[in-house]
């Protein structure tokens, strides 16, 4: 079974509007962390935001927020007030907290976001 | 994050040649992780190293691939006798501790093209 599922291969949004990128995850570990990365066309992986499984509040970083619904095992990324520079590939990733391999990140296949002017 | 330095950024090799990818971790970090990104895929874990030790190489192909992180100098990912299927982006991340904390920063990656 896929540990990280991103069901939207591509998304379009108008500049200045908000957009939600979906991510669901699968783990039986009670301790885990969820990450979102942005990969622009230049190729680097840019860390955006982190949510821990025990965090009571949804994580926020500027225009990025993470809609964490633990019971549904979803960790959707919300980008508010989209900008043209937000056009990129976005990856959701998980690190499971316990066990011998708690350093590994498992990535989804990504969502290509295009912001239209 | 600019703190993790990878070079070269782009590498072209002919089939059968060797590729050497270098990763200098952030200052004070002694844990290094290599990931590979095949075209149109997410990153996949390859290997985890500490200084002079390979901790987990479960994601690394058993043949032709090797990694090291010597006491001095960068971590090296070495691919011998490259084939077209090795064409990918290779990313390195580092951390001060085993778990990497609440942030996980990658270098800018090395894009390997095998012709």
């Amino acid at each position: 079974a896929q540990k990280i599922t991103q069901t939207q291969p591509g998304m379009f949004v108008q500049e200045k509007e908000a957009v939600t990128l979906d991510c669901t995850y699968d783990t039986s570990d009670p301790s885990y962390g969820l990450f979102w990365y942005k990969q622009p066309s230049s190729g680097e992986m840019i860390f955006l935001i982190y949510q821990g499984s025990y965090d009571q509040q949804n994580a926020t970083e500027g225009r990025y927020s993470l809609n964490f619904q633990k019971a549904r095992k979803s960790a959707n990324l919300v980008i508010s007030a989209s900008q043209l520079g937000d056009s990129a590939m976005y990856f959701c990733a998980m690190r499971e907290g316990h066990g011998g391999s708690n350093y590994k990140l498992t990535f989804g296949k990504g969502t290509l976001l295009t912001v239209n002017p | 994050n600019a703190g993790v330095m990878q070079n070269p950024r782009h590498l072209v090799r002919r089939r059968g040649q060797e590729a050497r990818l270098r990763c200098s971790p952030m200052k004070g970090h002694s844990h290094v992780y290599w990931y590979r990104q095949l075209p149109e895929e997410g990153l996949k874990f390859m290997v985890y190293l500490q200084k002079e030790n390979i901790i987990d190489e479960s994601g690394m192909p058993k043949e032709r691939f090797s990694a090291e992180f010597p006491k001095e100098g960068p971590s090296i990912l070495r691919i011998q006798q490259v084939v077209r299927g090795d064409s990918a982006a290779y990313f390195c991340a580092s951390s001060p501790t085993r778990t990497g904390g609440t942030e996980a920063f990658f270098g800018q990656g090395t894009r390997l093209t095998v012709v």
Side-chain angles (χ1 to χ4, degrees):
Chain A
Q2 293 273 2
K3 289 209 169 192
I4 295 286
T5 302
Q6 295 181 254
T7 56
Q8 307 152 314
M11 287 283 285
F12 293 89
V13 66
Q14 285 299 120
E15 197 177 4
K16 298 180 186 167
E17 291 186 351
V19 63
T20 298
L21 306 183
D22 293 343
C23 173
T24 57
Y25 59 91
D26 181 27
T27 181
S28 57
D29 198 321
S31 175
Y32 51 90
L34 297 155
F35 300 76
W36 276 92
Y37 288 87
K38 173 184 178 181
Q39 187 174 43
S41 56
S42 51
E44 67 266 36
M45 291 291 287
I46 302 168
F47 167 75
L48 295 178
I49 197 167
Y50 168 84
Q51 179 84 43
S53 59
Y54 294 121
D55 293 344
Q56 295 296 314
Q57 295 194 322
N58 286 344
T60 60
E61 287 287 348
R63 293 186 299 111
Y64 304 109
S65 60
L66 203 152
N67 184 359
F68 182 45
Q69 298 188 41
K70 198 169 180 177
R72 298 175 67 177
K73 293 191 174 178
S74 76
N76 299 339
L77 177 71
V78 181
I79 306 174
S80 62
S82 297
Q83 301 172 356
L84 295 177
D86 294 334
S87 293
M89 200 71 175
Y90 288 81
F91 290 97
C92 179
M94 176 173 65
R95 180 166 58 213
E96 292 168 283
H98 291 298
S101 58
N102 60 352
Y103 42 81
K104 285 185 193 176
L105 285 170
T106 302
F107 284 80
K109 294 197 172 203
T111 295
L112 181 61
L113 176 66
T114 303
V115 181
N116 294 318
Chain B
N1 182 294
V4 180
M5 304 300 294
Q6 289 188 248
N7 66 81
R9 290 289 309 277
H10 300 275
L11 183 61
V12 179
R13 284 288 176 265
R14 294 187 185 282
R15 280 178 291 171
Q17 290 185 321
E18 178 179 288
R20 281 185 179 237
L21 288 63
R22 286 177 290 278
C23 169
S24 296
M26 289 179 72
K27 190 175 181 181
H29 289 192
S30 58
H31 301 251
V32 165
Y33 316 84
W34 285 92
Y35 287 76
R36 177 165 68 171
Q37 183 181 27
L38 294 170
E40 308 203 2
E41 295 280 332
L43 277 64
K44 287 191 165 43
F45 170 81
M46 296 182 75
V47 62
Y48 162 36
L49 310 105
Q50 292 180 33
K51 285 280 187 182
E52 300 184 277
N53 285 302
I54 297 173
I55 307 302
D56 179 356
E57 56 183 349
S58 60
M60 203 133 80
K62 300 228 183 302
E63 296 180 353
R64 302 186 298 106
F65 284 71
S66 62
E68 62 176 13
F69 189 16
K71 188 176 179 181
E72 301 291 337
S75 175
I76 306 285
L77 180 67
R78 183 179 176 212
I79 312 172
Q80 295 178 289
Q81 299 175 325
V82 295
V83 301
R84 287 251 172 90
D86 298 333
S87 294
Y90 294 82
F91 288 91
C92 165
S94 72
S95 67
T97 62
R98 179 185 171 93
T99 59
T102 60
E103 296 172 325
F105 294 110
F106 287 86
Q108 292 189 298
T110 294
R111 271 140 201 88
L112 172 65
T113 303
V114 179
V115 297

